Amino acid sequence: QVQLVESGGGLVQAGGSLRLSCAASGRTFSSYAIGWFRQAPGKEREFAEAISRSGGSTYYADSVKGRFTISRDNAKNTVYLQMNSLKPEDTAVYYCAAGARTWSDSRRMYGYDYWGQGTQVTVSS
């Protein structure tokens, strides 16, 4: 079992940056691939970026390509999402998820066993 807590969200102007953190409990953090998803009001939750257990592989959505960077520090049981060049359309609740069944499934919500509560990111125009 693992518990996930997101932090780092807030209000930022367009073009600004935020760094989100996903902190995991337990000793098995390194056993999990981690994904970031986001959900805007009235929209379905969508995939943003994922990182493999070792950190050696990543997936990213076209919508965040070149702007968001995922990384992990297994010693700190934490995954980060560095968000640069933020746009108003990035406004959403951001969730981290752990435990993808397979690496290819890490881009899908159904691929994960555990979810955090989310952190709000609001980008003003």
Side-chain angles (χ1 to χ4, degrees), residues 19-94:
R19 189 192 195 196
L20 305 184
S21 297
C22 175
S25 64
R27 301 177 181 178
T28 60
F29 178 74
S30 62
S31 298
Y32 300 101
I34 303 293
W36 284 97
F37 294 77
R38 63 186 186 179
Q39 187 167 20
K43 302 294 184 181
E44 295 183 348
R45 194 171 299 184
E46 66 177 14
F47 170 74
E49 202 152 353
I51 189 165
S52 64
R53 287 172 287 180
S54 68
S57 299
T58 59
Y59 285 137
Y60 52 84
D62 289 341
S63 59
V64 306
K65 181 181 179 180
R67 301 188 299 119
F68 293 7
T69 302
I70 191 170
S71 62
R72 68 189 301 160
D73 186 341
N74 287 344
K76 296 182 178 180
N77 284 359
T78 302
V79 167
Y80 305 98
L81 185 67
Q82 180 66 48
M83 308 163 66
N84 299 324
S85 301
L86 284 163
K87 305 174 181 179
E89 51 263 45
D90 294 319
T91 295
V93 176
Y94 283 71

Side-chain angles (χ1 to χ4, degrees), residues 100-114:
R101 306 291 196 282
T102 67
W103 178 232
S104 62
D105 284 341
S106 66
R107 294 166 289 183
R108 311 297 185 190
M109 289 181 59
Y110 62 73
Y112 291 90
D113 293 321
Y114 308 104

